[in-house]
Amino acid sequence: MMDPIRNPYAPGAGSPPPELAGREKLREDVRIAIARVQRGNSAKGTLMVGLRGVGKTVLLDKMRSDAEESGAYTLRMEAPEGRSLPALLAPQLRLALLRLNRVQAAKAVAERGLRALASFAKALKVKYEDIEVGIDLDPQPGLADNGDLEADLTALLVEVGSAARKAKIAVVLFVDELQYLQTEEFGALISALHRCSQLKLPLTLIGAGLPQLRALAGNAKSYAERLFDYPQIGALSAQEAESAIVKPAQHEGVSFSAKAIAKIVSETRGYPYFLQEWGKHSWNVAPRSPITQKDVETASIEAVAALDESFFRVRFDRLTPAEKRYLRAMAELGEGPHRSGDIASAFGKPVNALGPLRQSLIAKGMIWSPSHGDTAFTVPLFDEFMRRIAPDSSWRSD
Ligand SMILES: Nc1ncnc2c1ncn2[C@@H]1O[C@H](COP(=O)(O)OP(=O)(O)O)[C@@H](O)[C@H]1O
Ligand SMILES: [Mg+2]
């Protein structure tokens, strides 16, 4: 048996993989963009889009540590369902301002920033009751205190960016799960970043979210299309998937047969979350190195069971019975994307009766619309999961 303690694989939302395969180019692009912003050169922000489990969060974290290493100040946030953007941003901006306040050249401007933050929190507290932020200096009347999110956030970010410019440091916002932001709040953030970019201030956004993010940004502000790059994060190529599996084992003196690797790549289709799960279970069932195709076959059963209990299950448990039936009807049609009419037929209801259900599933981040009238899962292989969990036709009945 192989030592389970030395098993290197790391399935789990946000768990850093032992080998971050296939993302070098993107990391380099973002590194260059941040270095340009720091010098006052123009560069777009980055909004990474992709399905669940493709590695957006761990990539965002890696980019963040790259940025810190290069001397930038970074802020890290996750847009949760049900909290406001100002509540999320205020404490992080405060930390950045306090850091800038310790740089002699930026001190005066950072103090103005801290006053702006106090005004911001006070003026917006009425509307966004969840704002909680330490107040270091008194509010400054007339600065970021309109009570209007877009105007005040713009004023505040301009202060942060101005302090950063004095300090010759880039401030970079890293925000995950951006699809959960309310349109109005997202619009305010985009508008504030746009202003900073016009002023060539060293402040930028690196974000991540589900594929609908691009449309959400565009709906919030039409010019968002030009303000950001939208790299698509997806499954790894066969070669990248191979190195995600092989390299971590190599470090432990363990190898895989060529057929074992091919089997893992085909079972996982190169999706990073699945690769970690298959790597983990293949290691655990194998009696010895090299890990064989037979080992992988045994491991597949456990890997699927583990995914059903975690990766798929956490999403499934948040659904209403009607939402589950909608997704089950979709799954009946296969992987997708599917036409709304086809889903409605499978479901046994008219298309227009299903609009609200479809909308709530989009809001929960379960499905998205790749093009008008099309619907697709945001979780890879979710159709197979739905068929496993509800195999017979009993789901059809109301
Ligand atoms: N490039 C990669 N190579 C290998 N494994 C990866 C890679 N990116 C992510 N993973 C693994 O995939 C899983 C999901 O990553 P995560 O960042 O949470 O995805 P997302 O945020 O897109 O849902 C984690 O277990 C992580 O270790
Ligand atoms: Mg994530």
Side-chain angles (χ1 to χ4, degrees):
M1 222 190 75
M2 300 209 305
D3 186 355
I5 296 171
R6 285 170 48 213
N7 190 328
Y9 302 100
S15 305
E19 167 74 17
L20 186 72
R23 309 298 191 208
E24 293 78 11
K25 170 80 169 64
L26 258 171
R27 275 172 72 187
E28 179 64 4
D29 289 349
V30 164
R31 207 187 55 73
I32 291 170
I34 292 173
R36 286 184 57 84
V37 164
Q38 177 142 344
R39 308 184 99 232
N41 286 337
S42 78
K44 291 183 179 182
T46 302
L47 298 183
M48 300 186 282
V49 293
L51 303 178
R52 298 275 184 201
V54 294
K56 300 180 298 298
T57 299
V58 300
L59 184 53
L60 199 65
D61 284 336
K62 194 54 130 187
M63 289 169 170
R64 182 188 180 198
S65 59
D66 291 345
E68 283 279 337
E69 254 170 52
S70 77
Y73 286 2
T74 66
L75 285 59
R76 173 73 161 89
M77 285 154 280
E78 178 176 329
E81 296 172 270
R83 268 191 76 203
S84 75
L85 176 69
L88 210 65
L89 266 174
Q92 290 288 320
L93 291 174
R94 174 177 177 239
L95 291 179
L97 284 166
L98 289 174
R99 252 174 112 177
L100 290 165
N101 194 36
R102 293 199 294 271
V103 180
Q104 200 51 43
K107 206 169 177 50
V109 185
E111 275 178 14
R112 240 180 87 93
L114 286 166
R115 291 189 196 284
L117 180 65
S119 309
F120 176 86
K122 200 169 156 211
L124 290 171
K125 183 83 187 168
V126 188
K127 180 150 182 217
Y128 303 97
E129 290 170 4
D130 57 345
I131 301 183
E132 296 289 346
V133 62
I135 300 299
D136 306 279
L137 293 172
D138 289 335
Q140 175 153 333
L143 191 61
D145 65 356
N146 267 310
D148 167 64
L149 180 60
E150 185 162 325
D152 291 351
L153 185 60
T154 300
L156 178 58
L157 283 192
V158 165
E159 291 302 325
V160 175
S162 306
R165 175 152 68 191
K166 287 276 182 204
K168 296 193 165 59
I169 281 166
V171 169
V172 189
L173 280 61
F174 288 86
V175 190
D176 204 0
E177 306 282 3
L178 269 169
Q179 76 281 348
Y180 286 138
L181 283 189
Q182 301 298 316
T183 308
E184 189 203 352
E185 299 178 7
F186 201 4
L189 178 61
I190 293 168
S191 167
L193 289 164
H194 187 212
R195 186 73 195 127
C196 289
S197 142
Q198 286 172 332
L199 297 172
K200 298 194 181 311
L201 295 175
L203 189 148
T204 191
L205 169 71
I206 312 293
L210 293 175
Q212 57 263 47
L213 181 58
R214 188 174 186 151
L216 291 173
N219 290 343
K221 293 283 171 196
S222 56
Y223 54 80
E225 201 57 38
R226 281 169 281 131
L227 201 56
F228 303 107
D229 285 322
Y230 298 86
Q232 300 202 16
I233 315 293
L236 300 175
S237 70
Q239 205 181 355
E240 293 160 351
E242 173 167 350
S243 68
I245 286 294
V246 169
K247 281 194 186 167
Q250 231 163 34
H251 289 301
E252 300 293 338
V254 168
S255 61
F256 287 79
S257 77
K259 280 186 178 161
I261 296 166
K263 180 80 182 156
I264 293 180
V265 172
S266 77
E267 290 282 321
T268 60
R269 306 217 210 144
Y271 281 107
Y273 198 116
F274 303 155
L275 284 165
Q276 296 302 322
E277 204 73 82
W278 255 265
K280 173 184 163 180
H281 290 282
S282 301
W283 176 293
N284 284 349
V285 302
R288 69 188 69 82
S289 175
I291 296 169
T292 65
Q293 183 181 6
K294 188 101 188 40
D295 297 332
V296 175
E297 278 161 15
T298 312
S300 290
I301 297 162
E302 303 197 10
V304 169
L307 287 169
D308 283 359
E309 280 316 306
S310 55
F311 184 68
F312 293 122
R313 174 63 75 172
V314 292
R315 310 250 137 64
F316 183 78
D317 284 347
R318 297 165 63 242
L319 304 171
T320 65
E323 289 168 347
K324 287 177 186 168
R325 279 203 303 281
Y326 185 96
L327 296 180
R328 182 60 185 83
M330 260 179 85
E332 193 64 13
L333 303 169
E335 190 175 355
H338 303 296
R339 305 293 303 166
S340 294
D342 296 340
I343 299 169
S345 313
F347 196 98
K349 288 220 168 116
V351 178
N352 48 13
L354 294 178
L357 208 47
R358 181 171 182 268
Q359 214 39 58
S360 73
L361 284 164
I362 291 176
K364 283 188 180 177
M366 293 304 302
I367 56 176
W368 71 295
S369 181
S371 58
H372 186 75
D374 273 341
T375 305
F377 293 105
T378 59
V379 183
L381 310 189
F382 204 77
D383 61 315
E384 293 179 15
F385 167 72
M386 288 305 298
R387 292 194 300 269
R388 278 197 297 279
I389 198 161
D392 57 25
S393 57
S394 58
W395 58 274
R396 282 181 200 277
S397 60
D398 234 315

